[in-house]
Amino acid sequence: MKLTVNSREYDVDAEPDTPLLYILRDNLELNGAKFGCGLGQCGACTVLVDGEAVFSCVTPLLLLEGRKVTTVEGLGTVENPGPLQRAFIDEQAAQCGYCIPGMMMRAQALLQKNAHASDAEIRAALQPNLCRCGTHMRILRAVHRAAELLKSARAETSTGSVR
Ligand code: FES
Ligand code: FES
């Protein structure tokens, strides 16, 4: 079937019940999303489907026809990181880093809808994702910083300013 990931269309040859996480990592070589529990309980595998955060380890391929998948690789590049990636780097918001792609994608789902999210809203949105290293405070700071970056980028766009 055809699968759209990060605005690119792929032909995927796999059983319909194959979890999206396996397709991303094994077929498409997009290794940002991580395998943690495989049970929808840790959030390491979080990606966006049509803008909503989902656990890709428990999302079968058959549900994805005609839908848009976004992974952490779709947020920016090493040379040109997106606001969330830049904010996580600036705040050094990682210890082992295993949870971070999932945290970023869950934060992305929130900030796309609400760039003015409060601290309580950010905490509530990230709640399904676990960090075993205890990096939570830095992660929160990074999401707040990303929200500020997004707001400035939108303000620049609306006023037509160019960097
Ligand atoms: S690996 Fe998917 S929720 Fe843990
Ligand atoms: S930084 Fe290690 S699990 Fe979160």
Side-chain angles (χ1 to χ4, degrees), residues 94-100 131-133 135:
Q95 198 167 122
C96 79
Y98 205 79
C99 70
I100 299 300
C131 173
R132 67 179 181 174
C133 296
T135 319

Side-chain angles (χ1 to χ4, degrees), residues 55-125:
F55 299 128
S56 63
C57 68
V58 291
T59 302
L61 185 59
L62 62 90
L63 295 181
L64 299 168
E65 184 91 58
R67 304 181 71 187
K68 291 191 172 75
V69 177
T70 309
T71 70
V72 72
E73 291 90 345
L75 299 186
T77 62
V78 172
E79 298 75 26
N80 190 17
L84 262 164
Q85 293 166 326
R86 190 172 312 177
F88 271 72
I89 293 166
D90 289 348
E91 293 293 343
Q92 291 289 287
Q95 198 167 122
C96 79
Y98 205 79
C99 70
I100 299 300
M103 291 283 186
M104 282 189 195
M105 297 318 290
R106 196 156 297 269
Q108 177 76 7
L110 172 67
L111 296 182
Q112 273 177 188
K113 290 181 194 148
N114 180 10
H116 299 271
S118 66
D119 189 63
E121 287 169 328
I122 294 172
R123 285 171 187 260

Side-chain angles (χ1 to χ4, degrees), residues 21 34-45 55 57:
L21 179 62
K34 299 288 183 280
F35 183 96
C37 63
L39 298 167
Q41 294 178 355
C42 75
C45 65
F55 299 128
C57 68

Side-chain angles (χ1 to χ4, degrees), residues 22-34:
Y22 299 178
I23 302 291
L24 293 173
R25 296 181 58 85
D26 299 341
N27 297 52
L28 309 186
E29 297 182 356
L30 293 168
N31 295 313
K34 299 288 183 280

